[in-house]
Structure formats: structure tokens, C-alpha cells
């Protein structure tokens, strides 16, 4: 059902300020920076070798990342599982009694289809299901 951990989402106040730790100090490769308007976030993907890191910066106060930073401060926000046939995975989880935040996938970074599992069903961890469009992409 789950293919792998695709990325770990980390909430930051400023990507510009957070990035040197990853690129200069830890010497990891920056894959890309993009804005996901629908989510009100700017994201930076970093190549962590076996898993990507996704830095999330709020674009405005309506962003859920803004709320997260206000409540909890910077830190790990979610863990994303790579899946295929995401709608089937959602339905399967619901059949097994898992509560979903999203009953249908929505568009995330890179145009991927994403859906979040409610942390009440997962010991307080926010998990994302993520299905990439161009599966051939090797990053
Ligand atoms: Zn994510």
C-alpha cells in the first residue's frame, strides 16, 4: 500500500534563512523552490539522499503553516508516504477506520496529488499520501 517515505515536511518561518543550514552546513542539494498558491506556501525541496526534505514557509496568515508556526513553532510538520492510485488508498484507509482530513486528493507541490491522514488516527503524526504525476522523474 505504501511504497516509501517520499519526504519529510518541515515548517520554517523563512526558507531564505533556513536554507543555508541545508545547502552550506549539511551540504545537501537544493532541488527546487516553488510556490503552491492553493496551500498558501512556498516550498523548498532538498535532496536528503534516500528521502527529500520539504521546507514549508507560509505565504500569508491564512496558510495552515502560518497557524502551525504560531501554535508550535518551527519543526517537523508532516511525513509523506509515496503511493500510487491515491484515491484507492484513501478509500482503503477509510474502510479500515482511519480518519482522513481529505477524502479526495488535492493538488500539492509539483502538481502531485496529495491527501492528509488525520493525526487523531495516527498517534499524533500528520501523514501525507502523495502521488507523483511524472513517475519517471529521478530526483
Ligand atoms: Zn509534503
Amino acid at each position: 500500500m505504501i511504497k516509501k517515505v517520499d519526504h519529510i515536511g518541515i515548517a520554517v518561518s523563512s526558507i531564505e534563512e533556513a536554507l543555508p543550514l541545508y545547502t552550506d552546513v549539511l551540504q545537501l542539494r537544493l532541488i527546487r523552490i516553488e510556490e503552491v498558491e492553493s496551500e498558501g506556501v512556498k516550498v523548498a525541496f532538498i535532496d536528503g539522499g534516500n528521502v527529500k526534505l520539504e521546507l514549508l514557509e507560509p505565504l500569508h496568515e491564512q496558510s495552515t503553516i502560518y497557524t502551525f508556526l504560531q501554535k508550535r513553532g518551527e519543526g517537523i510538520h508532516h511525513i509523506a508516504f509515496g503511493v500510487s492510485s491515491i484515491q484507492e488508498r484513501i478509500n482503503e484507509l477509510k474502510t479500515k477506520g482511519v480518519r482522513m482530513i481529505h477524502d479526495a486528493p488535492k493538488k500539492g507541490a509539483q502538481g502531485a496529488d496529495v491527501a492528509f491522514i488525520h493525526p487523531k488516527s495516527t498517534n499524533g503524526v500528520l501523514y501525507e499520501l502523495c502521488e507523483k504525476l511524472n513517475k519517471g522523474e529521478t530526483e
Side-chain angles (χ1 to χ4, degrees), residues 7-9 45 54 56 78 80 114 116 128:
H7 64 266
I8 297 169
F45 279 99
E54 177 188 42
L56 300 144
H78 66 268
V114 304
F116 284 85
E128 172 188 326

Side-chain angles (χ1 to χ4, degrees), residues 80-133:
F81 290 125
V83 300
S84 55
S85 310
I86 188 167
Q87 186 65 65
E88 284 174 36
R89 301 288 83 76
I90 293 170
N91 298 344
E92 222 171 288
L93 285 168
K94 287 171 69 181
T95 310
K96 291 175 178 171
V98 175
R99 193 166 146 197
M100 298 295 300
I101 293 177
H102 307 103
D103 291 333
K106 57 186 189 123
K107 288 292 171 196
Q110 306 171 247
D113 286 324
V114 304
F116 284 85
I117 302 174
H118 199 288
K120 282 238 155 67
S121 285
T122 53
N123 313 90
V125 181
L126 180 61
Y127 283 112
E128 172 188 326
L129 303 181
C130 169
E131 181 173 14
K132 293 286 162 55
L133 287 181

Side-chain angles (χ1 to χ4, degrees), residues 40-103:
V41 288
K42 183 169 155 185
V43 301
F45 279 99
I46 293 155
D47 184 358
N50 60 333
V51 69
K52 281 170 283 186
L53 302 174
E54 177 188 42
L55 304 184
L56 300 144
E57 173 192 324
L59 289 173
H60 49 66
E61 295 186 3
Q62 280 71 52
S63 168
T64 56
I65 296 301
Y66 178 84
T67 313
F68 179 88
L69 288 170
Q70 292 296 308
K71 282 192 197 156
R72 315 256 296 258
E74 293 184 306
I76 293 180
H77 178 260
H78 66 268
I79 294 173
F81 290 125
V83 300
S84 55
S85 310
I86 188 167
Q87 186 65 65
E88 284 174 36
R89 301 288 83 76
I90 293 170
N91 298 344
E92 222 171 288
L93 285 168
K94 287 171 69 181
T95 310
K96 291 175 178 171
V98 175
R99 193 166 146 197
M100 298 295 300
I101 293 177
H102 307 103
D103 291 333

